[in-house]
């Protein structure tokens, strides 16, 4: 039931914020600002120094808020995946599919969302127990690729990441996305330390998500 519960919370979140940062403090501040803005999905990337410690602190901080789901991103191998899971990551996201990582996530009943760009890659991921495929980079295709993929494989669940923004988010969902990953313009104010602006943009994404679900 653990995996099913996490998948449900990922879907309910709707928008997953892909968080990068030049150090631990910056990443933590960005995550707090995003959650303050009303988004409940955080993907803390392992390009952040001490990423496992950031995940551990986030889980401790938001442990009583069951709607908030915190995972690890840019996970390139099973060793990193296990480190993230032991730190408290509730799901694992990779830029590409890795069978060893898929097996490890299955062992821990943790959802694995690998980056896929072709039907062959999607098929390989599904055979390894993947429940949600990360369409990455989404900007290489555009929203219509989801319905194109779903024509021969209607059972797939897709999370586009890269190229999703406030202007086209509704279209991604209309084409069949179960959730979307956003980074770019949501995290842009972090570069200047403007975390209030991050909260403001997060509020815009939360409002857009509420509008889409009406």
């Amino acid at each position: 039931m653990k995996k099913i519960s996490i998948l449900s919370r990922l879907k309910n979140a709707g928008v997953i914020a892909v968080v990068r940062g030049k150090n631990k403090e910056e990443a933590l501040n960005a995550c707090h600002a995003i959650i303050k803005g009303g988004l409940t999905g955080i993907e803390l990337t392992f390009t952040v120094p001490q990423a496992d410690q950031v995940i551990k602190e986030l889980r401790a901080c938001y442990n009583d808020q069951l709607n908030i789901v915190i995972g690890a991103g840019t996970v390139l191998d099973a060793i990193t995946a296990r480190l993230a899971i032991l730190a408290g990551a509730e799901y694992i996201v990779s830029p590409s599919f890795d069978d060893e990582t898929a097996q490890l996530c299955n062992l821990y009943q943790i959802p694995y969302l690998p980056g896929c760009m072709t039907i062959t890659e999607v098929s390989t991921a599904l055979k390894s127990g993947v429940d949600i495929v990360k369409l990455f980079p989404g900007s290489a295709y555009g929203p219509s690729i989801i319905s194109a993929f779903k024509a021969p494989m209607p059972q797939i669940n897709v999370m586009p990441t890269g190229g999703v923004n406030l202007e086209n988010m509704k279209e991604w969902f209309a084409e069949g996305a179960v959730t979307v990953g956003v980074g770019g313009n949501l995290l842009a104010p972090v570069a200047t330390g403007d975390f209030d602006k991050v909260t403001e943009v997060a509020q815009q994404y939360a409002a857009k998500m509420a509008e889409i679900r009406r």
Side-chain angles (χ1 to χ4, degrees):
M1 293 301 291
K2 176 183 178 181
K3 189 177 182 183
I4 294 169
S5 171
I6 296 168
L7 287 166
S8 176
R9 287 159 63 213
L10 279 168
K11 186 177 180 181
N12 288 340
V15 177
I16 306 300
V18 183
V19 179
R20 302 187 186 279
K22 64 178 182 285
N23 54 48
K24 177 183 170 184
E25 183 183 21
E26 186 176 87
L28 272 171
N29 286 336
C31 291
H32 292 317
I34 289 162
I35 292 170
K36 184 180 177 183
L39 296 182
T40 57
I42 298 289
E43 177 191 324
L44 197 284
T45 66
F46 261 73
T47 54
V48 174
Q50 298 175 286
D52 58 321
Q53 293 302 311
V54 178
I55 290 169
K56 191 175 288 185
E57 288 190 33
L58 288 171
R59 284 299 310 277
C61 185
Y62 298 104
N63 202 36
D64 59 338
Q65 297 183 44
L66 299 180
N67 62 321
I68 293 172
V69 58
I70 295 163
T74 321
V75 175
L76 303 180
D77 52 51
I79 293 171
T80 307
R82 186 171 185 273
L83 180 68
I85 291 167
L86 293 179
E90 297 175 281
Y91 62 97
I92 299 294
V93 185
S94 299
S96 59
F97 175 76
D98 179 69
D99 188 61
E100 196 179 349
T101 301
Q103 291 182 44
L104 180 98
C105 289
N106 284 335
L107 179 66
Y108 284 95
Q109 280 289 287
I110 291 288
Y112 176 46
L113 290 71
C116 297
M117 282 189 75
T118 68
I119 281 288
T120 301
E121 290 176 350
V122 170
S123 178
T124 300
L126 292 183
K127 288 175 184 175
S128 295
V130 167
D131 295 286
I132 300 177
V133 170
K134 171 186 173 182
L135 179 69
F136 178 76
S139 56
Y141 288 121
S144 63
I145 191 62
I146 297 182
S147 54
F149 275 11
K150 278 179 165 286
M153 302 181 79
Q155 73 273 25
I156 63 172
N157 299 306
V158 180
M159 178 183 77
T161 302
V164 180
N165 54 49
L166 285 165
E167 287 68 42
N168 65 21
M169 198 167 94
K170 186 174 183 178
E171 193 179 348
W172 281 107
F173 280 102
E175 290 289 341
V178 294
T179 187
V180 297
V182 299
N185 62 338
L186 174 60
L187 274 298
V190 171
T192 56
D194 191 351
F195 296 102
D196 287 339
K197 183 66 177 176
V198 174
T199 296
E200 184 184 318
V201 179
Q203 288 171 333
Q204 293 170 6
Y205 273 99
K208 177 64 73 172
M209 193 67 243
E211 177 191 315
I212 290 168
R213 285 180 165 159
R214 276 195 200 116

